[in-house]
Amino acid sequence: MEQMLNVSSNPHVRDKMTTSRIMQLVALALLPTTLFGIWNFGFRALLVVLVTVASSVFFEWLYDRLMHKKNTINDFSAVVTGLLLALNMPPQIPLWMPVLGSAFAIIVVKQLFGGLGQNFMNPALAARCFLMISFAGKMTDFAVDKLSGYHCIDTVTGATALAELKNSGFTADSISVKNLFIGNIHGTIGETSAIAILIGAVILLAFKVIDLKIPLTYIGSFAVFVIFYMLGTGKGFDVNYLFSHLFGGGLMLGAWFMATDYVTTPITPKGQLLYGCCLGVVTAIFRLFGGSAEGVSYAIIFCNLLVPLIEKVTKPVAFGKGGKKA
């Protein structure tokens, strides 16, 4: 009787990495770009981050309370959603807009579809696209209040680095690749500094929260598409033009932190590679041929919708099935 065994349903192999631990590590990895954004844009950026995160947590708590569900704010998923949404916001955005975006992300995209693990697209990006469609003027206004203590360099009024790149290509008046990589430019709070984002990516890789399949295939396929575009349109190969597309806008933040969301990405290895390639191609099409200079957010949520199909076509054949009959 002392050797009795417990019989339980699967899964039988478990990992010590919990959901809350994963979310805490993602939040930790986002700290470098968050802190740089606050340093770059001043107190106003800090205020946007605090309001967005606090409202996301509040709406998570409120929905659970109204629906008589178990409180889920302790899993830190609402914190990560709020932080990602804040990093995709311009620093001078009216504070009621991040609150509205948080409500849309948490209640509409996440909770109404069943909560964490059931959402069909990335909540933070869905909220950003919702705000972009509803309030395009405010979401594309990257002017910085001089009283807020910003450190970013002054750029051409009314045009981001990607907008200038789309209209004129890389010229002598373009923002240097160095400034794009370091991040002392105008843009959303969390997407300007490629080096800060890459530091966060190293943290995710070190703790094995993500692997390289999706980010590298995303960035690689995007780069290949841009190179073919340069050669096909007669621009010739211009490394500054290529690096400006890689380090400008939200590509790095999207590739490392949002395209790798567990819930909205394929689980099959081949599916992840195909998913990354789709992201790169769709982002390049939106950027190079679309009306907007950016396209990362729309590309990711569009490819989120393709995930069930990608998993279907890349599902491995079960052992003993699919072979030739004798």
Side-chain angles (χ1 to χ4, degrees), residues 14-34:
R14 301 179 183 270
D15 196 299
K16 294 181 180 179
M17 186 71 80
T18 62
T19 299
S20 59
R21 175 63 174 166
I22 291 171
M23 295 300 171
Q24 290 167 10
L25 289 172
V26 173
L28 174 66
L30 285 169
L31 276 182
T33 190
T34 303

Side-chain angles (χ1 to χ4, degrees), residues 243-257:
F243 283 169
S244 295
H245 267 297
L246 291 176
F247 299 143
L251 179 64
M252 287 294 165
L253 184 65
W256 293 103
F257 286 95

Side-chain angles (χ1 to χ4, degrees), residues 11-297:
H12 302 294
V13 179
R14 301 179 183 270
D15 196 299
K16 294 181 180 179
M17 186 71 80
T18 62
T19 299
S20 59
R21 175 63 174 166
I22 291 171
M23 295 300 171
Q24 290 167 10
L25 289 172
V26 173
L28 174 66
L30 285 169
L31 276 182
T33 190
T34 303
L35 294 176
F36 184 89
I38 294 169
W39 177 86
N40 203 24
F41 298 113
F43 174 76
R44 180 71 184 186
L46 173 61
L47 198 57
V48 171
V49 171
L50 292 177
V51 168
T52 313
V53 172
S55 58
S56 294
V57 174
F58 169 74
F59 287 120
E60 179 100 347
W61 172 86
L62 180 64
Y63 185 89
D64 288 339
R65 182 73 177 241
L66 293 177
M67 297 295 107
H68 305 288
K69 296 176 63 178
K70 180 182 178 181
N71 193 300
T72 55
I73 63 173
N74 292 330
D75 65 15
F76 281 84
S77 62
V79 173
V80 171
T81 297
L83 190 53
L84 284 172
L85 179 58
L87 296 179
N88 280 281
M89 294 284 180
Q92 293 298 319
I93 194 168
L95 293 179
W96 61 267
M97 287 179 61
V99 175
L100 178 62
S102 298
F104 185 85
I106 296 297
I107 296 177
V108 177
V109 182
K110 180 182 176 183
Q111 294 292 1
L112 290 183
F113 284 89
L116 182 65
Q118 304 298 321
N119 47 284
F120 67 101
M121 64 174 64
N122 187 291
L125 284 183
R128 186 197 184 189
C129 292
F130 163 72
L131 294 176
M132 281 284 291
I133 294 170
S134 305
F135 313 101
K138 293 293 185 182
M139 287 293 290
T140 55
D141 181 6
F142 300 107
V144 179
D145 184 3
K146 292 184 178 181
L147 298 178
S148 63
Y150 71 95
H151 293 84
C152 57
I153 62 173
D154 289 328
T155 57
V156 180
T157 303
T160 63
L162 281 183
E164 285 295 300
L165 194 67
K166 184 179 182 67
N167 295 330
S168 308
F170 191 89
T171 66
D173 297 325
S174 299
I175 299 174
S176 69
V177 173
K178 176 184 175 183
N179 283 326
L180 286 170
F181 185 69
I182 294 173
N184 55 336
I185 59 171
H186 289 188
T188 65
I189 295 171
E191 72 180 17
T192 58
S193 177
I195 189 170
I197 294 169
L198 291 174
I199 291 172
V202 170
I203 294 174
L204 293 180
L205 292 169
F207 285 97
K208 298 182 179 180
V209 176
I210 65 171
D211 60 30
L212 292 171
K213 285 196 284 292
I214 292 175
L216 289 192
T217 50
Y218 185 178
I219 296 170
S221 58
F222 175 82
V224 170
F225 195 104
V226 172
I227 291 172
F228 279 122
Y229 172 79
M230 287 189 292
L231 298 177
T233 56
K235 296 179 182 292
F237 180 76
D238 185 348
V239 68
N240 288 316
Y241 182 86
L242 175 61
F243 283 169
S244 295
H245 267 297
L246 291 176
F247 299 143
L251 179 64
M252 287 294 165
L253 184 65
W256 293 103
F257 286 95
M258 290 176 284
T260 54
D261 174 33
Y262 287 177
V263 181
T264 55
T265 55
I267 60 175
T268 60
K270 290 181 180 179
Q272 291 174 359
L273 296 175
L274 178 58
Y275 176 71
C277 291
C278 288
L279 285 169
V281 171
V282 174
T283 300
I285 291 173
F286 284 167
R287 275 197 184 181
L288 299 174
F289 303 106
S292 173
E294 185 55 281
V296 170
S297 297

